[in-house]
Amino acid sequence: MPAPDIKSSWADEVELDYGGLPPPTEVIENGFKYVTEYKYNKDDKKTKVVRTYKITKEVVPKTVAKRRTWAKFGESKNDKPGPNSQTTMVAEEIFMQILNTKEEEKANDNLLDLTKNIAKCRICNGEHWSVNCPYKGTSMDTNLMEKKASAAAAAATEAPKPGKYVPPFLKDSQKGGMGGIRGRDDTAAIRISNLSESMTEQDLEELIKRIGQHTKMYLARDKNTGLCKGFAYVHFRQRKDAAAAIEILNGHGYDHLILSAEWSKPQNN
Amino acid sequence: MRPLMLQGHERSITQIKYNREGDLLFSCSKDQKPNVWYSNNGERLGTYDGHQGAIWCLDVDWTTSKLITGSGDMTTKIWDVEHGLVIASIPAKSSVRTCNFSYSGNQAAYTTDKAMGQNSELFIIDVRTADSSLAEQNPILRIPMLQSKITSMLWGSLDETIITGHDNGQISIWDIRKGREVNSVNDHTGSINDMQMYKDGTMFVTASKDTTAKLFDSESLMCLKTYKTERPVNSASISPIMDHVVLGGGQDAMEVTTTSTKAGKFDSRFFHLIYEEEFARLKGHFGPINSLAFHPDGRSYASGGEDGFVRVNTFDSTYYEPLF
């Protein structure tokens, strides 16, 4: 019986069939151009790159239109029409940071006040350095020393026994320092839920802009469809604005839905 | 907004400029090739290959047919914008710091550095029939600067005057027919890094190392406004449609490696033209901004930084809302 000549295992054949990269494709669909390319990345894995271009029409002066038809030259001589991804990139989204100068001035004033009273005497609490204190070396001074010594002794007895392991994250929580794991200040963050699917960042900004300045906002979107998942987090600059936002938005009707707003709860793992 | 990032240079950007219509954006850097880009989609049209040193300055004439560049290789070159070819190459005795076409495009001025025993000098040349013979021709006018070096330069009204900014903070206005200084002021205390004219030519904004930018009347050199920051200002530009000035700067390039991006203040800073009040900032660069330019339609602006990137920022609708 003639044995069929077996070239290789099926696994190799699969490799052979799709070994080469599929050719790049360009699809133009209702005003958008989709360019799909396949590449090998650093780890020799195939990756698919989809770029979306918006096709727009503009009315421009004749001279400008003529310049659009100029041939490329120099280092760009061999570039195809359209932006070359080597030299032109779209940066990540950024927002203009609108400053409220009055607030900032106030903050600066506070700082100045602090620096003014930087000198505080340990002995008499006056506004001078301890070294210059007129009560230095008197009974007030020695009393203070004794008090300190006894306080230090008390602290030593209360301290936890050495040798017991405390994980780093617990150490932090005992101190009651920054709170959140990421060290972000979540005190002025709120969660808005029951948003409609068609909600966008612009809508959200529009909604909260009037209430107060926000430092950050996050609108949860579905990974595949890009539609809103129904909730968003907003970090306000000031806690009072956040409180006002909850007051206003909780029960507020928007897009035929009743919103609910509450304080953002810290993640608990 | 999602800015366009243009990565055509290997070293820090020294100057960027739009042409008159704003459809092309020219950039030059300390590498040897100026670039030209379509400003609306960030596509690179080409590079101008031929210089052998850092390019310090560039300018494009009003018909977008000629480009002038000044370089550290001690030449000024005039280029054909469309094809990227050299029309003329004019040798100098030291590196060329600033260059500008006059409004009419008939003349061009350039200035050289005070270096290698040479004084800083201002040259004016006729570029109407520019060809390779321009290298041998004598300039129309040649003014040596005896005390200080010119760090920035502008053409004044009707192409009759030239305004120069110096490394000691002095600003002078020169009558080019008489060939002498008409007026000078010392409002700045540090080097004038950049000067940019308002669209109608009545006033200009300066950017100085003394951490301020100032607005001057371009006839009388009267200081009209002062915009204060905490870091050296490298460039400033006035919006053609709003009463806004944008300032770019930051820590000195040599101190950048020892500063964090947050403390370095590498943001573009927006000031109100009249109230002198800062009202907005825009992040983006991770080094100081060396050059800024508003698009002639005022709806976007471009910034070039020490990090080698040019960023084209198109304003969101919120930018146009009234502030006060």
Side-chain angles (χ1 to χ4, degrees):
Chain A
M1 189 175 124
D5 55 277
I6 298 163
K7 273 186 207 156
S8 52
S9 77
W10 63 271
D12 288 339
E13 272 183 4
V14 169
E15 283 287 297
L16 277 178
D17 280 353
Y18 300 99
L21 289 172
T25 55
E26 265 188 38
V27 184
I28 295 174
E29 218 169 69
N30 44 18
F32 285 92
K33 183 166 94 169
Y34 302 95
V35 179
T36 315
E37 279 178 357
Y38 299 88
K39 278 184 190 165
Y40 285 111
N41 65 5
K42 268 186 248 154
D43 309 326
D44 266 354
K45 294 222 173 97
K46 245 181 277 176
T47 52
K48 182 178 171 184
V49 183
V50 184
R51 287 201 198 90
T52 312
Y53 298 92
K54 193 177 175 185
I55 299 171
T56 53
K57 272 189 190 159
E58 271 180 75
V59 180
V60 292
K62 263 184 194 166
T63 49
V64 175
K66 200 177 164 206
R67 285 201 280 272
R68 282 295 333 184
T69 62
W70 282 0
K72 293 187 178 182
F73 57 88
E75 281 181 7
S76 289
K77 199 171 185 176
N78 302 320
D79 286 2
K80 280 178 227 144
N84 180 350
S85 56
Q86 296 283 320
T87 52
T88 309
M89 281 161 286
V90 180
E92 55 196 69
E93 179 100 39
I94 49 169
F95 292 102
M96 240 179 166
Q97 195 186 343
I98 306 290
L99 302 175
N100 193 339
T101 38
K102 271 176 201 153
E103 254 174 46
E104 215 163 69
E105 269 166 28
K106 230 185 262 168
N108 284 343
D109 285 351
N110 286 344
L111 277 180
L112 280 180
D113 286 347
L114 283 178
T115 47
K116 250 185 236 163
N117 301 333
I118 200 160
K120 193 185 173 198
C121 179
R122 253 181 295 125
I123 301 161
C124 69
N125 291 337
E127 279 186 22
H128 51 252
W129 302 107
S130 311
V131 187
N132 307 331
C133 184
Y135 299 106
K136 196 182 175 193
T138 62
S139 60
M140 241 177 134
D141 191 7
T142 43
N143 276 348
L144 188 90
M145 299 285 253
E146 277 163 19
K147 234 186 263 170
K148 250 197 185 166
S150 58
T157 50
E158 272 170 32
K161 276 171 199 163
K164 198 189 169 198
Y165 174 71
V166 183
F169 70 92
L170 276 185
K171 278 183 205 161
D172 270 355
S173 65
Q174 276 175 348
K175 273 183 213 152
M178 286 301 281
I181 298 168
R182 291 176 202 165
R184 198 196 302 138
D185 182 22
D186 283 338
T187 52
I190 65 163
R191 177 192 154 100
I192 306 170
S193 45
N194 206 24
L195 296 167
S196 79
E197 275 197 335
S198 58
M199 195 77 179
T200 64
E201 269 89 0
Q202 274 94 7
D203 297 337
L204 187 62
E205 200 176 347
E206 204 65 20
L207 189 65
I208 55 176
K209 200 169 57 180
R210 269 162 283 155
I211 300 168
Q213 287 194 329
H214 62 278
T215 52
K216 188 174 171 260
M217 64 182 197
Y218 169 74
L219 182 73
R221 285 177 178 282
D222 190 288
K223 239 181 216 165
N224 296 320
T225 59
L227 293 173
C228 172
K229 267 166 72 175
F231 64 95
Y233 289 93
V234 179
H235 291 241
F236 282 91
R237 181 166 286 183
Q238 288 178 335
R239 197 174 157 87
K240 71 168 173 24
D241 288 340
I246 290 177
E247 191 75 10
I248 295 165
L249 295 178
N250 201 8
H252 178 72
Y254 192 86
D255 252 7
H256 309 293
L257 291 169
I258 307 292
L259 303 184
S260 90
E262 58 187 353
W263 291 106
S264 157
K265 293 182 193 90
Q267 288 177 320
N268 30 352
N269 304 5
Chain B
M1 63 179 85
R2 291 186 76 106
L4 284 170
M5 255 174 39
L6 313 181
Q7 190 184 22
H9 294 285
E10 286 161 10
R11 295 198 55 203
S12 51
I13 308 294
T14 49
Q15 194 166 32
I16 55 171
K17 253 181 202 170
Y18 283 101
N19 65 345
R20 187 173 60 104
E21 288 90 354
D23 61 320
L24 295 182
L25 174 65
F26 294 84
S27 64
C28 64
S29 82
K30 289 183 189 167
D31 67 14
Q32 301 163 4
K33 290 168 183 169
N35 282 192
V36 57
W37 313 79
Y38 287 113
S39 65
N40 59 353
N41 63 354
E43 183 178 351
R44 185 162 76 174
L45 174 61
T47 62
Y48 298 91
D49 307 352
H51 271 298
Q52 268 140 31
I55 322 282
W56 294 115
C57 53
L58 56 69
D59 192 31
V60 59
D61 72 343
W62 71 281
T63 57
T64 321
S65 56
K66 288 200 219 59
L67 174 76
I68 186 167
T69 56
S71 163
D73 67 3
M74 304 197 284
T75 59
T76 307
K77 284 191 200 298
I78 296 173
W79 306 80
D80 174 10
V81 171
E82 183 177 352
H83 302 103
L85 303 171
V86 180
I87 298 174
S89 179
I90 307 149
K93 295 252 171 68
S94 60
S95 61
V96 182
R97 183 60 52 168
T98 66
C99 59
N100 271 314
F101 280 110
S102 70
Y103 190 83
S104 64
N106 291 345
Q107 291 141 307
Y110 63 93
T111 68
T112 58
D113 270 359
K114 183 177 184 173
M116 295 182 288
Q118 301 291 328
N119 271 327
S120 175
E121 265 186 293
L122 170 70
F123 297 88
I124 295 168
I125 51 171
D126 191 325
V127 291
R128 273 174 294 186
T129 53
D131 54 26
S132 51
S133 68
L134 199 63
E136 285 91 53
Q137 287 166 21
N138 284 325
I140 303 174
L141 184 69
R142 188 173 167 168
I143 308 172
M145 305 288 145
L146 299 175
Q147 289 103 24
S148 53
K149 178 182 121 181
I150 295 176
T151 49
S152 53
M153 183 256 297
L154 278 177
W155 280 84
S157 58
L158 299 172
D159 294 354
E160 285 170 349
T161 54
I162 281 188
I163 303 162
T164 54
H166 298 247
D167 63 347
N168 57 1
Q170 181 192 334
I171 296 170
S172 301
I173 187 160
W174 305 79
D175 187 316
I176 60 171
R177 273 187 232 166
K178 294 178 190 137
R180 62 178 177 82
E181 189 178 280
V182 186
N183 190 4
S184 91
V185 289
N186 279 304
D187 287 285
H188 278 296
T189 54
S191 164
I192 314 280
N193 291 326
D194 187 31
M195 300 198 292
Q196 289 194 31
M197 203 52 104
Y198 183 55
K199 63 172 177 193
D200 65 3
T202 54
M203 53 191 182
F204 62 92
V205 66
T206 57
S208 168
K209 210 183 167 184
D210 66 6
T211 74
T212 61
K214 287 176 195 272
L215 190 71
F216 287 92
D217 182 278
S218 47
E219 289 288 327
S220 62
L221 294 189
M222 186 171 68
C223 179
L224 306 169
K225 299 285 171 189
T226 303
Y227 312 100
K228 288 194 193 95
T229 72
E230 308 84 48
R231 311 283 153 146
V233 187
N234 290 337
S235 189
S237 186
I238 311 172
S239 166
I241 54 167
M242 310 281 274
D243 286 332
H244 295 166
V245 183
V246 60
L247 267 57
Q251 208 76 25
D252 253 342
M254 57 191 291
E255 287 160 30
V256 162
T257 48
T258 57
T259 335
S260 85
T261 44
K262 269 182 200 151
K265 311 230 163 143
F266 305 138
D267 313 354
S268 307
R269 307 173 68 162
F270 287 80
F271 282 74
H272 195 277
L273 184 75
I274 298 158
Y275 302 132
E276 306 174 334
E277 212 166 86
E278 184 178 4
F279 65 90
R281 285 183 192 172
L282 195 64
K283 284 190 177 43
H285 286 282
F286 44 89
I289 292 171
N290 286 342
S291 188
L292 281 169
F294 258 105
H295 191 286
D297 73 3
R299 298 185 168 273
S300 65
Y301 81 98
S303 56
E306 191 72 19
D307 54 12
F309 288 104
V310 176
R311 294 173 72 99
V312 182
N313 304 282
T314 309
F315 295 115
D316 291 331
S317 57
T318 48
Y319 171 77
Y320 305 102
E321 285 167 14
L323 275 170
F324 299 105

